[in-house]
């Protein structure tokens, strides 16, 4: 055994943990090697010095301090216990959190569903009927064509009167087609849940059973002529059942002003007219004008009555309708409220909803 | 009421069942060895007292993790070694190590009536040895303290430091040689003087 092999085992030799051949070999080497013997002596001296360090007495009261902290910790909930409450509290908390998450999920889902809907032109509101009564646009033109004349049915002026007896008096065919349209609109309206007031009864123009969707001859004249229709007819819209919230958003909103000559004719109109257009429109506007927009327009008109008419016109006949309307009154403004370029293809599939606000003549 | 006669394992079971008072038996039984281990690793009496307190508190909080695979003392010394190592590092004791030379705690042999000159010489030697221990890496210092000061068997040292027994032997030899080199001037002077 050489010095290196012996050196590795000197600590074990010092600790008396060597046995057998290792112990005998180390002893034999140390007996003949002063260098390794001196190394062993140095290690033994170090060991003796360390062991002579002795045992140091702990400070007095250490046990008392330790146990004070131990007893305090024993009665103090741990961090985990504070973070995770016991089951009797955890279960109700988890249940409440689950319910809250569910409610929040439904709410967010509905909100996102509505926000993701395309900005389609808003539905013509259900309650639309043809304006037939005498208007301030009454001229010497002949009265409107008979109801069964298809040329008169190019456009439908509609009012917001609820489906009452008037709706029952309307032709069945008209109701059937208008009903389909209304059902479609109502279903969309329910889906969007945007209208707080449910759709009301629907009635269509009395002058025609349905809107044929084509123009020929007089074109939209019948609808426009409705502005001049004298005689007894239902109110343009049931103002007492309307509110701004239930007002439909038209595709186009036109503001026209009566011609002075029309006012003169209107003044000399048939005495049998039960309710003049001005009175009806004024009453409707005052009732309808709960919102700031209509109230403002009403005041600017020096208490002049105005009339709001609704029309349903095929998309491709709108320009013709506008021309005929311009022949009867001065078109002061045309606002494409619910129409956008990108929606043109969508709108072409259904009639346009047009709102016409009839202002009194300028001479007033 | 404390029962001093019961073993560590029984005390641990009682503490695990919620009897905090039984822990006091364990504290009284192991406080001296634990404190000395910490003190020799830190070289500072006040720090050692504080760390020893933390060691027992930590042991009490985690006593449910003690499964009885090793002796309670081994498990406790491992906690003490870890706490002392952390404190030694945080306080940067490598630069601030010192030994209170005027304290009585270094004597520890109860020789208050010994020759003052011999007492002073003994304190000087203890100071140098403690300084040498503090200069060693913490693992080497721990293995020397456990083996040469507390006479812990190789197996217990291996369990406490979580290293194989063979590693304990080789590391102990390396640590002793390093300590001998640190104490060589003192040792040579003594030999020359003698």
């Amino acid at each position: 055994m050489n010095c290196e092999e012996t050196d590795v085992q000197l600590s074990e030799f010092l600790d008396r943990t060597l046995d057998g051949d290792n112990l005998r070999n180390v002893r034999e080497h140390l007996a003949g090697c002063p260098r390794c013997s001196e190394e062993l002596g140095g290690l033994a001296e170090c060991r003796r010095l360390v062991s002579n360090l002795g045992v140091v007495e702990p400070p007095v009261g250490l046990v008392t301090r330790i146990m004070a902290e131990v007893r305090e910790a024993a009665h103090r909930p741990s961090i985990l216990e504070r973070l995770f409450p016991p089951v009797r509290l955890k279960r109700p908390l988890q249940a409440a959190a689950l319910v809250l998450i569910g409610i929040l999920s439904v709410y967010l889902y509905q909100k996102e569903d509505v926000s993701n809907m395309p900005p389609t032109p808003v539905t013509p509101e259900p309650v639309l009927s043809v304006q037939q009564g005498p208007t301030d646009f009454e001229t010497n033109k002949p009265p409107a064509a008979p109801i069964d004349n298809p040329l008169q049915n190019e456009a439908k002026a509609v009012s917001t009167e609820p489906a009452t007896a008037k709706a029952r008096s309307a032709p069945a065919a008209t109701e059937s087609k208008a009903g389909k349209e209304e059902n479609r609109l109502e279903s969309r309206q329910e889906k969007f849940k945007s209208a707080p007031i449910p759709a009301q009864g629907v009635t269509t123009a009395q002058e025609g059973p349905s809107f044929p969707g084509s123009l020929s001859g007089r074109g939209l004249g019948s609808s426009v002529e409705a502005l001049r229709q004298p005689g007894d007819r239902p109110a343009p819209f049931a103002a007492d059942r309307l509110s701004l919230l239930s007002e439909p958003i038209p595709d186009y909103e036109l503001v026209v002003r009566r011609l002075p000559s029309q006012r003169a004719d209107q003044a000399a109109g048939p005495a049998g007219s039960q309710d003049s257009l001005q009175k009806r429109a004024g009453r409707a506007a005052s009732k309808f004008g709960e919102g700031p927009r209509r109230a403002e327009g009403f005041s600017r008109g020096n208490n002049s009555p105005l009339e709001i008419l609704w029309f349903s016109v095929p998309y491709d006949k709108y320009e013709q309708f506008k021309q005929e309307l311009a022949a009867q009154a001065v078109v002061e403004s045309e606002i494409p409220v619910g129409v956008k370029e990108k929606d043109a293809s969508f709108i072409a599939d259904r009639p346009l909803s047009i709102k016409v606000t009839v202002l009194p003549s300028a001479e007033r | 009421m404390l029962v001093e006669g019961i073993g560590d394992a029984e005390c641990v079971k009682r503490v695990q069942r919620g009897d905090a008072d039984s822990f006091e038996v364990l504290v009284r039984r192991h406080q001296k060895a634990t404190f000395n281990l910490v003190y020799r690793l830190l070289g500072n009496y006040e720090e050692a007292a504080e760390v020893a307190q933390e060691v027992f508190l930590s042991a009490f909080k985690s006593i449910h993790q003690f499964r009885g695979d090793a002796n309670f003392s081994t498990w406790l010394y491992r906690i003490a070694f870890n706490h002392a190592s952390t404190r030694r590092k945080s306080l940067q004791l490598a630069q601030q190590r010192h030994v209170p030379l005027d304290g009585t705690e270094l004597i520890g042999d109860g020789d208050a009536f010994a020759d003052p000159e011999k007492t002073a010489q003994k304190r000087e030697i203890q100071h140098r040895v403690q300084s040498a221990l503090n200069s060693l890496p913490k693992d080497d210092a721990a293995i020397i303290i456990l083996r040469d000061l507390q006479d812990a068997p190789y197996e217990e040292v291996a369990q406490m430091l979580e290293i194989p027994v063979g590693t304990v032997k080789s590391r102990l030899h390396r640590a002793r040689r390093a300590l001998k080199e640190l104490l060589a001037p003192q040792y040579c002077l003594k030999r020359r003087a003698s």
Side-chain angles (χ1 to χ4, degrees):
Chain A
M1 180 175 264
N2 56 25
C3 291
E4 290 184 359
E5 294 171 343
T6 302
D7 184 72
V8 174
Q9 299 185 3
L10 282 181
S11 280
E12 289 188 73
F13 180 80
L14 194 64
D15 291 338
R16 303 176 189 277
T17 55
L18 284 178
D19 54 2
D21 293 340
N22 287 334
L23 179 61
R24 187 176 61 252
N25 293 334
V26 171
R27 279 180 177 169
E28 289 177 357
H29 181 83
L30 289 174
C33 182
R35 181 166 166 262
C36 289
S37 295
E38 186 177 358
E39 179 70 17
L40 178 64
L43 293 176
E45 180 65 15
C46 284
R47 184 170 178 268
R48 188 188 64 81
L49 290 174
V50 171
S51 61
N52 282 343
L53 285 174
V55 177
V56 178
E57 287 296 323
V60 178
L62 179 62
V63 176
T64 305
R65 292 201 300 272
I66 291 173
M67 288 312 298
E69 286 201 10
V70 165
R71 290 191 177 93
E72 183 183 349
H75 294 91
R76 185 176 54 204
S78 65
I79 295 177
L80 288 179
E81 288 173 342
R82 278 179 281 179
L83 288 177
F84 302 100
V87 176
R88 67 179 185 276
L89 294 177
K90 189 166 65 175
R91 290 289 161 80
L93 285 176
Q94 288 175 341
L98 199 63
V99 171
L100 190 62
I101 290 172
I103 294 173
L104 193 62
S105 302
V106 171
Y107 172 73
L108 291 177
Y109 176 76
Q110 289 180 344
K111 189 175 180 181
E112 185 175 358
D113 188 27
V114 171
S115 63
N116 286 339
M117 294 306 294
T120 58
V122 182
T123 65
E125 196 67 1
V127 195
L128 302 172
S129 66
V130 175
Q131 304 299 313
Q132 290 185 342
T135 67
D136 293 341
F137 296 97
E138 187 71 27
T139 61
N140 293 327
K141 291 185 179 179
I147 291 174
D148 55 354
N149 186 353
L151 297 178
Q152 294 180 344
N153 302 325
E154 301 285 344
K156 290 187 293 184
V158 291
S159 76
T160 53
E161 186 170 13
T164 55
K166 177 184 159 191
R168 290 192 294 273
S169 66
T174 303
E175 285 192 359
S176 62
K177 185 164 184 177
K180 290 179 181 179
E181 180 69 14
E182 290 302 323
N183 291 335
R184 186 177 66 84
L185 298 176
E186 283 180 2
S187 63
R188 289 184 58 190
Q189 191 177 24
E190 289 178 359
K191 183 178 180 181
F192 293 169
K193 297 183 182 304
S194 59
I197 300 176
Q200 302 190 4
V202 177
T203 182
T204 57
Q206 290 183 356
E207 72 237 35
S210 64
F211 193 83
S214 64
L215 277 174
S216 63
R218 294 171 61 191
L220 294 169
S222 62
S223 298
V224 179
E225 287 291 333
L227 294 172
R228 304 186 297 267
Q229 286 286 338
D232 189 13
R233 63 175 174 83
F237 41 78
D240 56 341
R241 299 190 60 179
L242 285 177
S243 71
L244 283 178
L245 293 176
S246 63
E247 181 187 10
I249 298 177
D251 296 321
Y252 284 95
E253 183 172 353
L254 299 172
V255 177
V256 300
R257 185 174 295 278
R258 292 186 178 93
L259 298 173
S261 59
Q262 289 175 340
R263 286 218 47 83
D265 295 340
Q266 173 68 21
S273 177
Q274 297 177 353
D275 195 3
S276 70
L277 175 62
Q278 293 178 351
K279 289 182 178 179
R280 290 198 302 272
R283 186 173 63 244
S286 62
K287 183 75 174 180
F288 203 51
E290 294 172 1
R293 179 166 59 89
R294 289 187 179 274
E296 183 182 11
F298 190 79
S299 62
R300 282 181 181 175
N302 298 325
N303 286 333
S304 300
L306 54 81
E307 187 173 18
I308 298 174
L309 303 174
W310 291 85
F311 296 91
S312 179
V313 179
Y315 180 74
D316 54 346
K317 305 301 181 186
Y318 172 69
E319 290 299 329
Q320 190 174 353
F321 166 80
K322 199 167 61 174
Q323 291 173 4
E324 295 205 14
L325 183 64
Q328 307 298 329
V330 178
V331 179
E332 296 198 342
S333 67
E334 176 190 8
I335 305 171
V337 180
V339 177
K340 296 178 180 177
E341 287 296 331
K342 63 179 182 180
D343 300 329
S345 60
F346 176 76
I347 296 172
D349 297 336
R350 62 169 178 79
L352 293 174
S353 174
I354 302 169
K355 177 184 177 182
V356 178
T357 302
V358 183
L359 302 176
S361 62
E363 67 183 5
R364 183 182 173 94
Chain B
M1 178 179 177
L2 300 179
V3 182
E4 298 286 350
I6 61 175
D8 287 354
E10 179 60 26
C11 282
V12 169
K13 286 181 181 177
R14 291 186 181 187
V15 176
Q16 288 175 339
R17 287 196 293 264
D19 182 11
D21 292 337
S22 295
F23 193 71
E24 186 172 350
V25 179
L26 298 172
V27 173
R28 292 186 182 280
R29 193 174 289 168
H30 297 285
Q31 62 150 339
K32 186 177 288 188
T34 303
F35 176 81
N36 274 271
L37 173 63
V38 174
Y39 170 69
R40 294 302 174 190
L41 285 172
L42 295 178
N44 185 291
Y45 194 82
E46 286 76 20
E47 291 288 342
E50 191 173 327
V51 171
Q53 199 166 327
E54 293 176 2
V55 168
F56 280 104
L57 187 61
S58 177
F60 175 77
K61 288 180 177 177
S62 57
I63 200 164
H64 291 282
Q65 301 172 9
F66 178 68
R67 295 170 297 182
D69 298 337
N71 292 333
F72 174 76
S73 59
T74 304
W75 182 73
L76 182 65
Y77 294 163
R78 189 188 307 163
I79 296 174
F81 172 71
N82 292 333
H83 275 260
S85 300
T86 304
R87 179 63 65 94
R88 179 170 169 159
K89 191 175 182 179
S90 64
L91 295 178
Q92 297 179 340
L93 291 176
Q95 300 173 358
Q96 304 174 3
R97 288 167 196 150
H98 70 282
V99 176
L101 299 178
D102 54 350
T104 56
E105 64 275 7
L106 286 182
I107 304 301
D109 292 341
D111 52 354
F113 300 102
D115 184 0
E117 186 178 355
K118 287 185 178 180
T119 302
Q121 187 179 9
K122 190 173 183 178
R123 284 179 181 173
E124 175 67 19
I125 293 172
Q126 288 180 344
H127 171 68
R128 292 181 182 278
V129 173
Q130 182 66 58
S131 297
L133 282 175
N134 293 342
S135 300
L136 292 176
K138 62 181 176 60
D139 290 340
D140 292 353
I143 209 167
I144 286 180
I145 292 167
L146 288 170
R147 179 64 191 162
D148 294 342
L149 187 60
Q150 301 193 346
D151 293 326
Y154 285 138
E155 291 75 13
E156 189 174 336
V157 175
Q159 286 182 349
M160 200 199 79
L161 299 179
E162 296 178 312
I163 55 177
V165 174
T167 306
V168 171
K169 293 177 180 177
S170 60
R171 189 177 292 178
L172 175 63
H173 180 61
R174 186 188 64 190
R176 279 174 174 167
R177 290 186 63 179
L179 184 64
K180 184 175 77 72
E181 296 298 323
L182 291 171
L183 296 175
Q186 163 78 16
Y187 177 67
C188 293
L189 284 175
K190 279 186 64 180
R191 289 182 63 187
R192 286 171 190 167
S194 62

